[in-house]
Each structure stands twice: as C-alpha cells, then as structure tokens.
Amino acid sequence: TAGRPLDAEVELWEGPGHTPVKTRVWSEDGRARPFRGMVHPGGREHSVAVRNHGPLEFPAAAAVADLGPARPPPANGYEGAALHPGLVVGDSSTSSDRIQGGALRTFRVDAAVASVEVRLLSEGYPIYGAIEVLQGPNTERQVIELYSENGRDRPISYLLETPGFGCVVSVKNTWPSMEYPMTALVLP
C-alpha cells in the first residue's frame, strides 16, 4: 500500500475445497511494513489467492512469484540459516524455540537489524499460529494469523521489516491444547 493500512488474506489452493495454507495479515503501514511470505507448495499443482479485505480507500498491490523447482524443505529448518547470536534474542536467549499449543514466545530484535525472517515448522503436525511485530508498549505494528496443514511438508516463512528501535517479534501457537507443537526460528 502507499503508506496506508493493509488488511489482506493469502491462500494456497490445491483443487476444489482443499486449502492447505491460509494467512491473514494486517499492517498499520503497508509501505513501511510490507508482507512477504514463502510457502513450500509440496510439488503439486496449486493456485494462490490474494484478497484485500480493506476498504476501497485502501488499495493494495500484490505479486506472486515462483522461485523455481520445488525442493523439499530442510528437515530441521536450520539449513541455510545464518545464526547471529545477540541480534535476535528469545525468551530463552536463543533465536529458535519449540512452542506448545497456547504458548507465546517473544524475540527481541536489535536496532541494527532492518528485517527478520520468521520460519515456522513442525514435525508433521498442523500449524495454527499468530505473529505480531510490536514496537513500543502495546503497539501492534503488524499481525499475521496463519494455518498450515502440515508443518514438515509445508513450513512457512515470512520476512518482516523491523525498522527503528525496540522491535519485538511475538510468536503464538493458537491451538488451544499442547498436542500440536511448532518450532519458530527468528533470524536477522
């Protein structure tokens, strides 16, 4: 958007009635905090739907790109991850955490980091989650609600802008019980 709020939904479709990945995103400023996501399509025929849920006065531009032949996702989610200790620090002083259903983890982002990549994966369980970018007390700058039917075959990755000082990335497993844990990696 041209500096306006963003309220959109992105879905991966596989045939009629099968939507293995859903994402709903809200951002207070689509230019300063654009939405960039990546999902592994699973090697099947698929379509991507993008819907703007904002009012007519808040138009949004969208683009979908194929990044080449589908490769299987890394088994542990860490492959190719450049871990930089100290730039992103979680609740337990790491940049990754296993999050049980209903649990919340926060990751403090150093002011020198312009953006972070958030990777969510599981051991084959569904992923139900929410990601928030906070800056200042009780100030949500960007919110992403997501679902993936299989976090091993379809891990989800988002690139989130974190301009300025005091950014915190909050990752919540929104499944109400502990039966569907997920792993979150937050990388600068």
Side-chain angles (χ1 to χ4, degrees):
T1 66
R4 309 285 238 149
L6 172 67
D7 184 3
E9 184 176 55
V10 180
E11 296 178 340
L12 179 73
W13 294 345
E14 284 184 357
H18 187 215
T19 308
V21 178
K22 294 181 183 182
T23 300
R24 179 78 185 250
V25 63
W26 176 86
S27 178
E28 73 172 8
D29 182 344
R31 183 181 320 187
R33 296 180 189 276
F35 171 73
R36 294 185 196 110
M38 185 172 52
V39 64
H40 190 274
R44 300 173 195 97
E45 294 290 323
H46 59 276
S47 300
V48 176
V50 180
R51 285 189 211 109
N52 183 3
H53 286 282
L56 185 63
E57 294 82 13
F58 298 151
V64 177
D66 182 0
L67 299 176
R71 297 182 317 265
N76 62 6
Y78 296 94
E79 182 179 301
L83 300 176
H84 300 282
L87 292 179
V88 176
V89 180
D91 294 339
S92 59
S93 300
T94 66
S95 62
S96 75
D97 250 328
R98 183 176 176 94
I99 305 172
Q100 297 291 346
L104 170 77
R105 295 292 183 270
T106 58
F107 300 87
R108 182 180 44 82
V109 180
D110 190 271
V113 177
S115 63
V116 295
E117 179 183 356
V118 178
R119 293 183 190 177
L120 301 177
L121 54 139
S122 73
E123 297 169 354
Y125 302 114
I127 296 175
Y128 295 88
I131 301 169
E132 296 179 348
V133 178
L134 309 168
Q135 192 171 20
N138 299 321
T139 309
E140 295 175 342
R141 301 294 184 189
Q142 189 171 25
V143 178
I144 300 171
E145 296 171 351
L146 58 105
Y147 162 77
S148 175
E149 72 178 4
N150 185 329
R152 178 179 32 221
D153 296 340
R154 295 183 191 282
I156 301 175
S157 179
Y158 301 103
L159 183 63
L160 306 174
E161 301 297 321
T162 57
F165 182 76
C167 280
V168 173
V169 175
S170 165
V171 181
K172 181 175 184 177
N173 186 335
T174 57
W175 187 253
S177 67
M178 294 177 57
E179 60 191 280
Y180 295 143
M182 68 178 177
T183 300
L185 277 71
V186 180
L187 308 165

